[in-house]
Amino acid sequence: MSITDRIARGLESGWKVTDGATLTRNQTHEADVVVIGTGAGGGTTAEILARSGLSVILVEEGRLYYQKDFRMNELDAYASLYQEGMSRVTKDGAISILQGRCVGGSTTVNWTSSFRTPAPTLNWWASRFGLDGLSPEAMKPWFDGREERHNIEPWRVDPNLNNDILRQGCEKLGWSWQIIPRNVKGCWNLGYCGVGCPTNAKQGALTTTIPGALDNNATLFHGLRAERLVVKQDRINHLTASAMSADGIIPSGVTVELRARHFVVAASAIGSPGLLLRSDIPDPHERIGKRTFIHPVNATVAEMAETVDPYYGAPQSIYSDQFNFSGGVDGPAGFKLEVPPLHPAMSAGVVPGHGADQTLDLSRLPRMNSVLALLRDGFHPDSPGGTVSLRGDGSPVLDYPVTDYLWRGLRESFHRMAEIQFAAGAQRVRLMHLDSPWFSSWPEARKAIDDLAMESHRVRLFTAHQMGGCGMGQDPRESVVNGFGEHHHLANLSVHDASIFPTSIGANPQLSVYALAARNSTHLAGRLRG
Ligand SMILES: Cc1cc2nc3c(=O)[nH]c(=O)nc-3n(C[C@H](O)[C@H](O)[C@H](O)COP(=O)(O)OP(=O)(O)OC[C@H]3O[C@@H](n4cnc5c(N)ncnc54)[C@H](O)[C@@H]3O)c2cc1C
């Protein structure tokens, strides 16, 4: 099968792409719009604005890696494609944060699950934050459009065994399960989505909207970090940015000044509030960085009798929403159940234990299955989320205290995940918890889970979903932007990424970001072309 490489072809055809590492002198550029970040939100925005005839400059801190670089090699990929070389964590080190740092952003490394924003979430946003324009009916055309753009369809190939165990367990217990829609075209079912798709099947920003923007005359600077938006009166005057050296990490000392009529920040939750804080953007109610959300994720592993090979095949193809909204939208913490792929390097980082015990556990990886729970945060008064602030060097960091409300949800989800795995025939199940032994039966696990301490640093928590921090809403006293992502106080500033979500959403976020960015960019193009 031959592989079409839009990026290689585009570069040959003369796309305007500059690697910051090649810049040797300070310089200034100008366009109608500067878009900061090239992920789900930034890519969508750049393509729509460029297609409408506006001149667009894209700024990306990470580098341009594409098909030729994606070698299914975990260690190289984590170091080059992820924020902080895959070692980003919350301020107290208790939650691992997986986030992309490359052209295409997190969509270049994500696992391709593609869900519409759940209707209860959109309805709650309308009633709680005055976001009536985002009702499920109003958003439908935007979801339809983005599903077409990113080739999103339910996965028609049989799930791999790792996912099928979730299906089998749910079926035995009489719980609901569904097939996950994925954004792929001609997928080879390899299972290496998390280290960059080696066959260009993944329809993330890198293979769709970024080429779409560049085909329409946009300019891309990669290896260029947005440092500061400079405000003059009630407008952004320009952006100052630092070129990275060839290692992609250390600034080379060359600076670039970018001028535009309008600035769109799409540097992701954590990145966008960080940039706005660094820039001292007017914030009379101190909302920037507040109500930043993740879906806190806990997981269990099971040892099965047969070979699972949990690293091969579409990483996520089955989910269960049995417990997501069952307690009401703002009741006890609900959770979505899915499966993570278990590649060796990543598994070595999360499976508790060390020395001979860990060696033994990892030698059994081919027979392991894992289930994860995505906790829904931000809907209940006891779930205020976290706060982004700046370190001494100006880089953003997320403080995310785990509340008792969330611990109750995490304990409950440990119960349900272990129950599913035993129902599906697991020989042994272990929680991703430092004090958890391997359990040999569901009654044994059920009793023990109630006694385990639910504490930071004992429960292994991680997240690949960052949201909020520049929340949208009608009331400037409790939000940063309005329902179109427009800043409440600066006329030529918008935010178009997951940071505008006023809560977490209860589903994997990429399609929600694509759809909101498409809606808000179409609105912005109308305004600027006015
Ligand atoms: C391993 C993994 C698996 C995932 N799996 C799924 C999945 O299956 N389904 C799903 O829906 N979601 C998944 N996600 C999450 C999803 O990809 C993100 O929610 C989505 O991409 C967020 O879009 P965004 O535009 O907010 O940010 P991103 O897509 O992360 O893009 C932000 C970009 O801004 C850049 N940036 C940051 N700061 C600066 C700066 N100062 N200057 C210049 N550039 C900057 C970053 O380098 C990045 O490229 C996954 C994420 C990861 C990491």
Side-chain angles (χ1 to χ4, degrees):
M1 215 180 297
S2 73
I3 296 168
T4 314
D5 195 339
R6 293 272 277 118
I7 301 285
R9 260 194 1 225
L11 291 171
E12 278 162 26
S13 75
W15 275 350
K16 291 187 282 183
V17 175
T18 301
D19 179 352
T22 63
L23 300 179
T24 51
R25 54 172 181 82
N26 297 347
Q27 49 202 271
T28 301
H29 299 273
E30 191 158 354
D32 289 322
V33 187
V34 166
V35 178
I36 300 156
T38 60
T44 305
T45 301
E47 180 178 47
I48 289 173
L49 296 181
R51 278 196 172 162
S52 80
L54 293 159
S55 60
V56 174
I57 295 176
L58 274 153
V59 182
E60 170 56 52
E61 177 182 14
R63 304 194 71 179
L64 174 62
Y65 295 101
Y66 54 104
Q67 194 255 333
K68 70 174 175 49
D69 305 303
F70 301 149
R71 319 302 308 173
M72 298 167 67
N73 176 326
E74 274 190 274
L75 294 182
D76 285 352
Y78 297 154
S80 55
L81 304 177
Y82 282 75
Q83 290 288 351
E84 302 182 37
M86 187 71 146
S87 51
R88 179 167 271 190
V89 289
T90 47
K91 198 169 186 178
D92 63 359
I95 308 176
S96 297
I97 299 174
L98 278 55
Q99 215 173 2
R101 181 182 183 270
C102 52
V103 173
S106 301
T107 76
T108 299
V109 293
N110 78 17
W111 298 344
T112 72
S113 299
S114 304
F115 296 96
R116 295 184 176 202
T117 323
T121 300
L122 290 175
N123 290 331
W124 202 75
W125 288 358
S127 66
R128 172 67 185 76
F129 298 101
L131 297 167
D132 302 331
L134 305 182
S135 66
E137 302 71 41
M139 286 303 293
K140 182 179 179 305
W142 300 105
F143 291 131
D144 288 344
R146 289 299 106 183
E147 283 167 355
E148 198 179 328
R149 180 73 188 101
H150 295 277
N151 216 58
I152 293 171
E153 287 179 350
W155 181 234
R156 297 190 198 288
V157 177
D158 285 344
N160 65 6
L161 185 52
N162 196 28
N163 278 271
D164 202 50
I165 287 163
L166 173 58
R167 182 195 66 78
Q168 290 173 32
C170 285
E171 212 145 73
K172 288 254 169 59
L173 294 163
W175 298 344
S176 67
W177 62 270
Q178 277 84 28
I179 292 173
I180 293 182
R182 304 183 62 217
N183 61 321
V184 292
K185 196 188 267 182
C187 174
W188 293 20
N189 206 17
L190 296 173
Y192 280 72
C193 313
V195 293
C197 178
T199 65
N200 278 340
K202 186 194 286 184
Q203 299 296 292
L206 182 65
T207 51
T208 59
T209 52
I210 299 294
L214 295 172
D215 279 347
N216 284 278
N217 224 20
T219 299
L220 166 66
F221 286 94
H222 62 101
L224 187 70
R225 180 166 67 212
E227 297 288 1
R228 199 177 161 83
L229 293 158
V230 178
V231 180
K232 241 188 192 169
Q233 284 144 1
D234 65 343
R235 298 178 67 77
I236 307 289
N237 186 62
H238 65 271
L239 169 74
T240 55
S242 300
M244 299 289 120
S245 46
D247 67 5
I249 298 167
I250 315 263
S252 66
V254 173
T255 58
V256 178
E257 184 173 303
L258 297 171
R259 298 178 170 269
R261 290 164 60 198
H262 200 92
F263 293 81
V264 177
V265 175
S268 79
I270 304 182
S272 290
L275 175 60
L276 268 49
L277 287 169
R278 271 202 304 279
S279 308
D280 291 321
I281 295 297
D283 188 20
H285 306 289
E286 299 188 356
R287 298 318 307 156
I288 298 174
K290 306 284 168 46
R291 286 184 68 81
T292 299
F293 292 100
I294 57 172
H295 291 132
V297 170
N298 60 341
T300 53
V301 284
E303 190 177 333
M304 308 302 291
E306 65 274 61
T307 300
V308 178
D309 284 342
Y311 22 75
Y312 294 142
Q316 300 192 307
S317 52
I318 301 289
Y319 73 99
S320 172
D321 269 347
Q322 178 75 27
F323 304 102
N324 203 353
F325 291 94
S326 50
V329 69
D330 54 358
F335 47 90
K336 189 176 194 79
L337 294 171
E338 293 174 354
V339 157
L342 292 180
H343 293 96
M346 190 191 282
S347 305
V350 296
V351 174
H354 56 272
D357 284 350
Q358 198 189 30
T359 309
L360 191 63
D361 280 346
L362 288 173
S363 71
R364 294 180 176 135
L365 201 59
R367 287 201 286 127
M368 299 265 185
N369 147 266
S370 182
V371 177
L372 62 75
L374 297 160
L375 273 280
R376 204 162 44 75
D377 202 7
F379 297 82
H380 187 276
D382 295 339
S383 63
T387 303
V388 171
S389 61
L390 298 178
R391 298 187 183 102
D393 66 356
S395 62
V397 60
L398 173 62
D399 186 24
Y400 212 91
V402 181
T403 57
D404 288 344
Y405 169 84
L406 284 176
W407 286 127
R408 282 193 290 277
L410 289 161
R411 191 190 296 278
E412 173 64 15
S413 62
F414 270 141
H415 274 285
R416 302 291 73 89
M417 293 188 286
E419 191 173 5
I420 284 172
Q421 288 168 313
F422 280 117
Q427 294 181 326
R428 306 192 302 159
V429 170
R430 180 183 191 184
L431 317 184
M432 291 293 91
H433 186 300
L434 261 55
D435 305 327
S436 168
W438 284 99
F439 302 113
S440 305
S441 70
W442 166 230
E444 185 197 352
R446 182 174 51 204
K447 189 168 171 309
I449 291 171
D450 280 332
D451 294 334
L452 282 171
M454 290 289 135
E455 289 171 8
S456 290
H457 299 285
R458 303 226 72 69
V459 180
R460 280 268 156 88
L461 294 174
F462 65 98
T463 184
H465 302 164
Q466 305 78 28
M467 297 151 281
C470 300
M472 55 183 163
Q474 213 176 35
D475 184 350
R477 286 169 307 180
E478 55 171 26
S479 55
V480 176
V481 297
N482 68 19
F484 281 108
E486 298 162 328
H487 192 259
H488 283 308
H489 308 289
L490 295 179
N492 67 338
L493 174 64
S494 301
V495 185
H496 284 193
D497 59 19
S499 73
I500 65 174
F501 296 179
T503 61
S504 76
I505 57 174
N508 313 47
Q510 69 169 339
L511 178 51
S512 300
V513 182
Y514 292 139
L516 271 175
R519 169 185 180 271
N520 296 351
S521 304
T522 305
H523 172 82
L524 179 62
R527 234 182 86 189
L528 294 177
R529 292 186 55 78

